[in-house]
């Protein structure tokens, strides 16, 4: 006996799994969206650990290859477990389509590379994750794609001066990792649109529970699902979600990859054939086909378990982090604290606008004293561990200057909004008294 494959064709709506209309609120979507079994099918999302899928005739298979029919044939292009989880994330963000990737890095690479090629240019906020900073500033450059880093604090005129005729997108992080700066999504969406390009926002730290960038004009959302979405540090993964709102055809000359025939698909034009899903379809059928970077179905299964409690964990992360940030701010050993939930924080107003229910569990702070004091403090912690990770259920710390960002010079660190003394504290969902007690004994 084999479990029947879900009757995907009937359930499929606009390329995503069917999301019943009654599932309106985020909490219900977290628990239920994506996998909606029919009679006799497994209640829990099955792991379709198969590279390939069976068809009855060569004709059926040919139609899949021509993108004439929807269906599964090879897991690099689509897999039911991966698709069910992508459908859940798509529903949470309110998009028209989502593709899962093997990491957050792959998601950001695909998001940009899908509309930029050699000779193109794009603009990014300089307050972004270290890995993305390298990807954009070093690796994409080797592919002939130039990137300008701007400080979101600059006034509009200064930033708008950086747009060129070959500029193809604008990029930022809702809450930057590790600095905790809040990105003014609406302002940069308007600016990008004035110049005929989409805004891409990495929404990893806020998650759709706290912020849905599409509601503020953002066009494409990316995620490292490795962080809060998984929440238990069990898998590395990423996602790209398409709002379907960017008018590619209006700026057809800028985006020939979407608006002119794709020779590798017998002259199919993505915007003509897929309308609002042109961008996300191109990622799957072109970038994923040619470069891989799919998650394993096993990892998507784990990610889905995490997503089922995202709406419960995020408020707890925020509540704990708020208390810890206030405690740090009042602590004589602490030189500075950056947490958008603090009233004294310069991003507090933006945080209230975009994330009225809380931001995330990540706090950046500096200790009085030198670099060695910071390292001694971290070594003295008991259950709070030093790990190259952030945003999971367990409280953890990291010193970016000596860990994740060690390949950046001090000058680049400051440019990326990372002070050399910055300690990144990712507040988990333990009892907050215990978290504060551990911090306290380590400081003393
Ligand atoms: C971790 C992270 C990434 C990279 O994700 P991986 O899953 O580690 O590849 C990208 N953006 C942000 C904001 C992150 O925190």
């Amino acid at each position: 006996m084999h479990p029947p494959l879900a009757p995907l064709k009937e359930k499929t709506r606009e390329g995503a799994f069917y999301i019943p209309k009654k599932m309106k609120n985020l909490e219900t979507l977290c628990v239920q969206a994506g996998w909606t079994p029919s009679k006799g099918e497994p209640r829990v999302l099955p792991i379709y650990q198969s590279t390939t899928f069976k068809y009855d005739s060569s004709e059926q298979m040919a139609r899949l290859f021509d993108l004439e029919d929807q269906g599964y044939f090879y897991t690099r292009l689509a897999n039911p477990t991966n698709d069910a989880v992508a459908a859940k994330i798509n529903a949470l963000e309110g998009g028209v389509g989502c593709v899962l990737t093997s990491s957050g890095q792959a998601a950001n690479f695909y998001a940009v590379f899908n509309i930029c090629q050699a000779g193109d240019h794009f603009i990014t906020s300089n307050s972004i994750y270290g890995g993305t900073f390298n990807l954009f500033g070093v690796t994409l450059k080797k592919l002939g794609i130039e990137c300008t880093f701007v400080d979101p604090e600059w006034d509009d005129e200064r930033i708008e001066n950086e747009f060129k005729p070959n500029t193809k997108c604008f990029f930022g992080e809702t809450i930057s990792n590790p600095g905790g700066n809040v990105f003014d999504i609406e302002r940069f969406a308007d600016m990008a649109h004035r110049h005929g390009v989409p805004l891409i926002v990495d929404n990893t730290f806020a998650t759709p529970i706290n912020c849905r960038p599409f509601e503020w004009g953002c066009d494409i959302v990316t995620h490292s699902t490795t962080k809060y979405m998984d929440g238990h540090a069990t898998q590395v993964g990423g996602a790209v979600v398409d709002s379907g709102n960017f008018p590619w055809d209006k700026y057809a000359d800028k985006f020939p990859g979407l608006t002119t025939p794709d020779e590798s698909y017998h002259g199919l034009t993505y915007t003509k054939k897929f309308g609002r899903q042109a961008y996300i379809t191109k990622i799957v059928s072109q970038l994923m086909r040619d470069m891989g970077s799919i998650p394993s179905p096993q990892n998507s299964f784990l990610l889905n378990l995490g997503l089922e409690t995202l709406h419960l964990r995020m408020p707890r992360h925020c509540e704990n982090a708020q208390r810890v940030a206030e405690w740090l701010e009042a602590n004589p050993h602490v030189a500075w604290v950056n947490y958008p939930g603090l009233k004294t924080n310069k991003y507090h107003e933006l945080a209230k606008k975009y994330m009225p229910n809380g931001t995330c569990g990540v706090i950046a702070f500096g200790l009085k004293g030198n670099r060695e004091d910071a390292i001694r403090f971290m070594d003295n912690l008991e259950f709070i561990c030093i790990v190259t990770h952030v945003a999971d259920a367990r409280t953890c710390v990291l010193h970016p200057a000596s860990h994740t960002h060690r390949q950046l010079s001090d000058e680049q660190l400051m440019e990326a909004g990372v002070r050399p003394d910055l300690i990144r504290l990712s507040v988990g969902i333990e009892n907050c008294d215990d978290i504060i007690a551990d911090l306290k004994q380590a400081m003393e």
Side-chain angles (χ1 to χ4, degrees), residues 148-165:
T148 302
F149 292 87
V150 298
D151 185 342
E153 307 268 299
W154 292 350
D155 61 31
D156 279 8
E157 198 188 335
R158 180 155 177 211
I159 298 177
E160 296 206 42
N161 276 339
E162 301 295 343
F163 281 87
K164 309 179 196 181

Side-chain angles (χ1 to χ4, degrees), residues 261-272:
D262 177 357
E263 290 318 319
S264 73
Y265 263 121
H266 338 291
L268 168 160
T269 299
Y270 290 96
T271 47
K272 275 213 191 90

Side-chain angles (χ1 to χ4, degrees), residues 103-105 108 129 132 173 177 202 204-205 224 226-227 236-237:
S103 68
Q105 285 299 108
N108 282 329
Y129 174 66
T132 313
E173 289 177 6
N177 176 4
D202 179 332
T204 298
F205 271 15
S224 164
T226 318
K227 315 295 166 53
V236 172

Side-chain angles (χ1 to χ4, degrees), residues 226-241:
T226 318
K227 315 295 166 53
Y228 289 118
M229 281 193 169
D230 174 301
H232 305 76
T234 60
Q235 58 89 47
V236 172
V240 183
V241 194

Side-chain angles (χ1 to χ4, degrees), residues 8-26:
L8 294 161
K9 189 113 193 281
E10 292 85 297
K11 262 191 204 167
T12 302
R13 294 281 188 287
E14 300 183 349
F17 271 56
Y18 180 47
I19 309 287
K21 287 209 166 50
K22 290 231 165 50
M23 292 187 199
K24 283 207 189 88
N25 294 299
L26 293 178

